[in-house]
Amino acid sequence: MLAWAPIVKTIERRGLAAHGAFALQDDERQGELADVATIALVGLAGRRGWAAFSGSPEAEDRGADPLDRWSRRVVGALATELGARALYPFDGPPHWPFQRWAMRAEPMHVSPLGLLIHPTEGLWRGYRGALAFAERLAVPPFRAAASACETCVARPCLSACPVGAFTGAGYDVAACAAHLGRPAGRACMAGACLARRACPVGADWAHEPAEAAFHMRAFLSARGSA
Ligand code: B12
Ligand code: SF4
Ligand code: SF4
């Protein structure tokens, strides 16, 4: 069985962070996952990870989808080094179920925004790829933890959106994108989603302005509005 600690070190050497791992059940080992025993998730290592991307050739070449191309190069090389196969959140549809995987790898929970919440990083955890290993990894046992949302009475995330995009029925993507394309949407465009920022958990992990603006522009242009 492969040990987990050296894998985490290898992930971190590339400016990425290990976001947990889990074993697939036998009945999940089908189709493209037939030869996979363990999945490990990786994301940017906070602001250090953002610096690794923003100094990269992809960030400066003015081509499309720079962060996705950077992820393919860096996570792809990491997978080769570790003898694993890389899977990406932006491939598809059909999309790999990263949110479902995340909830099995770590104590992540669905928040009222639909984004998953992490006990310390709040709503700021994102994924750049997954490493699919044919072998079983000796991953640390899953440590369950309650969702911070269970004891959050005020739920400021639900009232912070200027266009009320988060209703009990889900996320109104069209209303959000329309607002972002107007001058009044500048606060979200420059500093990240106000609803996401309203959550008190993991405030230290909130994106810095350059990263926030990058993600918001990418979101809006993917919607065909920018
Ligand atoms: C399509 C998509 C979108 C669409 C639609 C999202 C929507 N809410 O309808 C658009 C373009 C609008 C979008 C926007 C954003 N997205 Co998006 N998106 C995706 C993508 C590519 C696919 C989602 C999907 O359809 N999965 C397919 C299903 C089969 O997968 P799943 O894991 O089973 O996911 C579902 C379950 O979790 C299920 N679910 C809900 N409740 C429960 C409860 C239980 C118990 C279970 C088991 C499941 C479950 O809902 C999920 C469907 O979204 C994922 C990446 C990925 N591959 O997962 C990112 C992803 C979900 N997005 C992400 C982010 C960060 C964003 C943005 C904030 C982007 C930004 N500006 O920075 C915005 C805002 C989203 C919001 N407020 O909800 C992150 C979320 C990380 C997190 N902490 O949860 C992901 C994982 C991408 C990543 N690289 O990390 N997104
Ligand atoms: S503001 Fe409260 S309810 Fe909303 S995501 Fe944060 S902890 Fe959960
Ligand atoms: S980005 Fe702004 S408009 Fe869109 S959901 Fe978040 S707060 Fe609302």
Side-chain angles (χ1 to χ4, degrees), residues 113 157 160-166 171-173 175-180 184-185 187-189 192-197 216 219:
L113 303 185
C157 59
C161 173
V163 291
F166 297 102
Y171 169 41
D172 186 344
V173 183
C176 166
H179 177 72
L180 296 179
C188 299
M189 286 300 290
C193 172
L194 298 181
R196 204 177 180 192
R197 277 168 53 189
M216 296 307 290
F219 166 63

Side-chain angles (χ1 to χ4, degrees), residues 95-116:
H95 301 294
W96 291 112
F98 269 75
Q99 289 186 305
R100 230 178 308 160
W101 288 348
M103 288 187 275
R104 291 170 67 179
E106 290 184 307
M108 303 288 290
H109 297 275
V110 182
S111 75
L113 303 185
L115 293 169
L116 301 184

Side-chain angles (χ1 to χ4, degrees), residues 27-131:
D27 61 359
E28 295 175 296
R29 303 181 66 185
Q30 297 173 12
E32 285 193 63
L33 300 182
D35 62 346
V36 179
T38 310
I39 289 184
L41 300 178
V42 296
L44 286 182
R47 289 170 185 165
R48 188 168 61 82
W50 177 252
F53 161 69
S54 57
S56 72
E58 288 87 352
E60 287 169 11
D61 68 11
R62 296 179 169 267
D65 305 321
L67 184 56
D68 294 351
R69 287 186 289 117
W70 179 84
S71 303
R72 276 192 205 284
R73 177 167 65 78
V74 176
V75 180
L78 174 65
T80 304
E81 182 178 352
L82 290 170
R85 182 154 55 92
L87 309 174
Y88 299 100
F90 41 81
D91 275 345
H95 301 294
W96 291 112
F98 269 75
Q99 289 186 305
R100 230 178 308 160
W101 288 348
M103 288 187 275
R104 291 170 67 179
E106 290 184 307
M108 303 288 290
H109 297 275
V110 182
S111 75
L113 303 185
L115 293 169
L116 301 184
I117 185 161
H118 179 269
T120 54
E121 294 179 28
L123 301 172
W124 298 100
R125 188 153 268 201
Y127 299 89
R128 296 321 314 160
L131 303 169

